[in-house]
């Protein structure tokens, strides 16, 4: 039976951080649902680094269909969760339905992959990070620590069911470790 994977995102999700996991899961034969605050075409963005700049740049990316709204998601229907970064985590975490979706994957010890700014979501549900280790984009280190987690400086880290990565260059390793969770 095919595994069912949920990807949670919204506008300004980093393009590589949603497309790479989405296509990798499809390649594996998984049934993938992309959910957002509302079912619609979400606008991705492209984050990149330029020599001499202290942070990343942002450009518009591709549109991508989110076929479900958070309010309509029953997390018990899914075997794994992927949370991409970009700027979407900073506002989707405000959706009243998202915290319970994310908590389910921690409580049931189901595979969960979080990359880059995904850690911002954990700041609104700090009970899930107590005593946990993860990595994220360096600007999210205060969010991880404020939520009671231990920030790991390595670009990839696995702590039980939680697989985390710094940013899009770490996606091959992140997805390799995420896939191992199902074996």
């Amino acid at each position: 039976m095919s595994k069912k994977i949920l990807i949670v995102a919204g506008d300004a999700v980093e393009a590589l951080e949603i497309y790479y996991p989405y296509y990798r899961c499809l390649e594996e034969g998984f049934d993938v649902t992309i959910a957002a605050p509302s079912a619609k075409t979400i606008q991705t963005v492209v984050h990149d680094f330029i020599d001499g700049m202290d942070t990343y740049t942002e450009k518009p990316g591709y549109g991508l269909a989110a076929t479900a709204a958070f309010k309509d998601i029953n997390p018990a229907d899914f075997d794994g969760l992927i949370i991409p970064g970009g700027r979407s985590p900073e506002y989707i975490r405000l959706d009243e339905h998202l915290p319970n979706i994310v908590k389910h994957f921690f409580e049931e010890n189901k595979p969960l992959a979080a990359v880059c700014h995904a850690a911002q979501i954990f700041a609104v549900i700090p009970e899930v990070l107590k005593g946990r280790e993860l990595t994220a984009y360096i600007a999210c280190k205060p969010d991880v620590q404020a939520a009671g987690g231990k920030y790991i400086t390595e670009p990839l880290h696995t702590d039980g069911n939680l697989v985390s990565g710094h940013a899009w260059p770490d996606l091959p390793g992140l997805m390799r470790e995420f896939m191992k969770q199902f074996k």
Side-chain angles (χ1 to χ4, degrees):
M1 181 193 235
S2 177
K3 297 293 183 192
K4 292 184 72 175
I5 305 299
L6 177 64
I7 300 176
V8 294
D11 286 323
V13 63
E14 209 292 323
L16 284 172
E17 292 174 12
I18 193 166
Y19 274 104
Y20 188 110
Y22 175 65
Y23 286 129
R24 179 63 189 92
C25 287
L26 291 178
E27 175 186 37
E28 195 67 27
F30 293 169
D31 179 8
V32 184
T33 298
I34 298 174
S38 63
K40 68 172 204 158
T41 298
I42 55 176
Q43 179 61 52
T44 70
V45 296
V46 176
H47 287 167
D48 208 352
F49 296 92
I50 296 174
D51 287 340
M53 282 190 66
D54 293 330
T55 190
Y56 53 86
T57 63
E58 182 175 280
K59 299 174 185 100
Y62 300 103
L64 182 62
T67 58
F70 295 151
K71 67 181 174 72
D72 298 323
I73 293 295
N74 177 0
D77 293 340
F78 295 90
D79 301 300
L81 174 66
I82 298 172
I83 308 173
R87 283 187 302 110
S88 79
E90 75 187 49
Y91 85 89
I92 66 171
R93 66 184 173 172
L94 302 176
D95 185 284
E96 66 180 306
H97 304 284
L98 185 61
N100 286 330
I101 292 170
V102 175
K103 275 198 288 192
H104 170 83
F105 290 87
F106 280 96
E107 291 168 351
E108 298 299 319
N109 203 37
K110 293 180 179 179
L112 193 159
V115 64
C116 201
H117 285 79
Q120 290 178 318
I121 290 172
F122 305 139
V124 299
I125 43 174
E127 62 271 20
V128 301
L129 283 193
K130 296 284 189 232
R132 300 297 297 263
E133 297 179 343
L134 74 151
T135 192
Y137 186 63
I138 188 64
C140 297
K141 181 178 180 179
D143 297 291
V144 170
Q145 293 172 327
K150 180 179 178 189
Y151 183 83
I152 303 298
T153 58
E154 297 301 316
L156 289 169
H157 189 72
T158 300
D159 179 359
N161 66 315
L162 176 60
V163 179
S164 57
H166 271 186
W168 57 261
D170 306 309
L171 287 168
L174 180 93
M175 290 308 296
R176 183 174 47 253
E177 293 304 311
F178 182 71
M179 292 301 172
K180 283 181 185 177
Q181 297 276 325
F182 294 103
K183 298 197 170 107

